[in-house]
Amino acid sequence: MARSILHMLTPLKHMSPFDVNMAVDAGFETIATYTDVTLPDVTSLVQDSIFSRSPQDGARTTIFIGGKNAEDALDMMDRAKKALVPPFANHIVADPAGSFTTGAAMVAEVTRALKSKFGTDLKGKRIVIFGGAGVVAYVAAVIGALEGAKTVLVGHDGEERVSKIAFTMKWRFGIDVGAVDGSTGDARRAAIAEADVILSAGPAGVPILSATDLESAPKLLVASDVNAVPPAGIAGIDVNAKDVALPTGKGIGIGALAVGNVKYQTQSRLFRQILAADEPLCLDFRDAYKVAVEVAG
């Protein structure tokens, strides 16, 4: 059998050591990294990889796309798919900054909590997402909307930027995602007034919602915070939290380590899924969510 080769592409100066370690531990035999990759570079890199091996070895060759921007990663995935020339094809998978699997894990943990603690699911729930301009928020908003939730991005610097992001989601996925201002305390409290679920994917060590703020969310069932650096993004949710009571007594909280455990297993399983496949796969955060739901239980 041909050796398994993973070609890792990133538009950044460095490839993530985290992702390299995950790939090695999953079992890839050979790994090559490519940095400062631009969108036009993708076609030639992919075609160099497919034409240097026989078509039957396409399932032993993988293109991994990293970076730190959701739209850029999705554009690179699209360009990589268009570069394939059947019967020559490789696996293609994207996980920029590990955020595709993190966002999938975050929503999967919320899905688990809603089912196990409240006997319900995401459909019809209002999910309010802080850190709305980031990749984790992007992933959570799209997955939530695809699962039938009413997702809303909150912009720490106002509504304009997150409105543009929501527009690209509609163009790419055909979903409706809301966008609201979160630049002041009053605005943040107004944003969560009708929330069933609150997700915090803001900068590490930056408090976003206090215990007093949470009193403005009387319908809140589940809140999750992926911030692993004190202080917590959402009051009452430390890194170890898993289904802990929130300070108001309304709803439960899920912390960074609970999400991170699901994220780690999800990324590992995706790599192993690729290594075990007989035909080339193309995997993004929607595929990661399916795996994360299984991991979360």
Side-chain angles (χ1 to χ4, degrees), residues 5-67:
I5 301 176
L6 180 64
H7 298 283
M8 306 185 80
L9 283 55
T10 178
L12 303 179
K13 182 179 179 181
H14 302 291
M15 176 56 68
S16 164
F18 185 103
D19 293 329
V20 174
N21 289 352
M22 291 290 295
V24 171
D25 289 343
F28 282 96
E29 296 169 284
T30 302
I31 296 174
T33 61
Y34 309 79
T35 58
D36 296 312
V37 176
T38 65
L39 185 60
D41 294 331
V42 173
T43 298
S44 60
L45 288 169
V46 170
Q47 291 185 344
D48 269 0
S49 75
I50 61 174
F51 291 138
S52 58
R53 308 191 94 178
S54 63
Q56 62 263 32
D57 291 332
R60 302 292 291 163
T61 316
T62 303
I63 302 293
F64 175 92
I65 296 169

Side-chain angles (χ1 to χ4, degrees), residues 18-260:
F18 185 103
D19 293 329
V20 174
N21 289 352
M22 291 290 295
V24 171
D25 289 343
F28 282 96
E29 296 169 284
T30 302
I31 296 174
T33 61
Y34 309 79
T35 58
D36 296 312
V37 176
T38 65
L39 185 60
D41 294 331
V42 173
T43 298
S44 60
L45 288 169
V46 170
Q47 291 185 344
D48 269 0
S49 75
I50 61 174
F51 291 138
S52 58
R53 308 191 94 178
S54 63
Q56 62 263 32
D57 291 332
R60 302 292 291 163
T61 316
T62 303
I63 302 293
F64 175 92
I65 296 169
K68 284 192 174 182
N69 181 282
E71 289 288 336
D72 288 349
L74 292 170
D75 286 343
M76 284 189 169
M77 284 194 77
D78 289 340
R79 187 65 61 93
K81 286 186 282 187
K82 290 176 182 176
L84 301 177
V85 183
F88 295 92
N90 294 340
H91 301 291
I92 301 169
V93 59
D95 195 9
S99 296
F100 277 13
T101 44
T102 299
M106 192 180 203
V107 181
E109 270 291 277
V110 169
T111 300
R112 174 200 57 76
L114 286 172
K115 180 180 179 181
S116 64
K117 302 298 181 180
F118 303 101
T120 187
D121 55 24
L122 292 174
K123 190 171 183 179
K125 301 296 185 296
R126 183 174 179 84
I127 304 177
V128 178
I129 308 169
F130 291 86
V135 185
V136 173
Y138 186 103
V139 169
V142 174
I143 292 174
L146 292 173
E147 291 294 309
K150 301 172 184 177
T151 56
V152 178
L153 296 174
V154 183
H156 78 277
D157 54 357
E159 184 179 339
E160 182 177 358
R161 184 157 60 129
V162 287
S163 292
K164 292 178 180 177
I165 294 170
F167 177 81
T168 66
M169 292 173 176
K170 184 174 182 62
W171 168 78
R172 193 181 290 270
F173 298 102
I175 57 175
D176 291 314
V177 173
V180 298
D181 175 29
S183 60
T184 67
D186 286 343
R188 290 189 289 275
R189 287 186 286 274
I192 65 173
E194 297 297 322
D196 299 292
V197 174
I198 299 174
L199 305 180
S200 178
V206 177
I208 294 173
L209 295 174
S210 67
T212 301
D213 292 332
L214 291 177
E215 293 176 359
S216 298
K219 297 171 59 179
L220 181 61
L221 298 176
V222 182
S224 182
D225 182 8
V226 292
N227 173 25
V229 179
I234 300 177
I237 304 180
D238 66 23
V239 293
N240 296 302
K242 182 163 182 174
D243 301 349
V244 300
L246 293 170
T248 58
K250 300 171 182 175
I252 57 175
I254 300 168
L257 290 186
V259 173

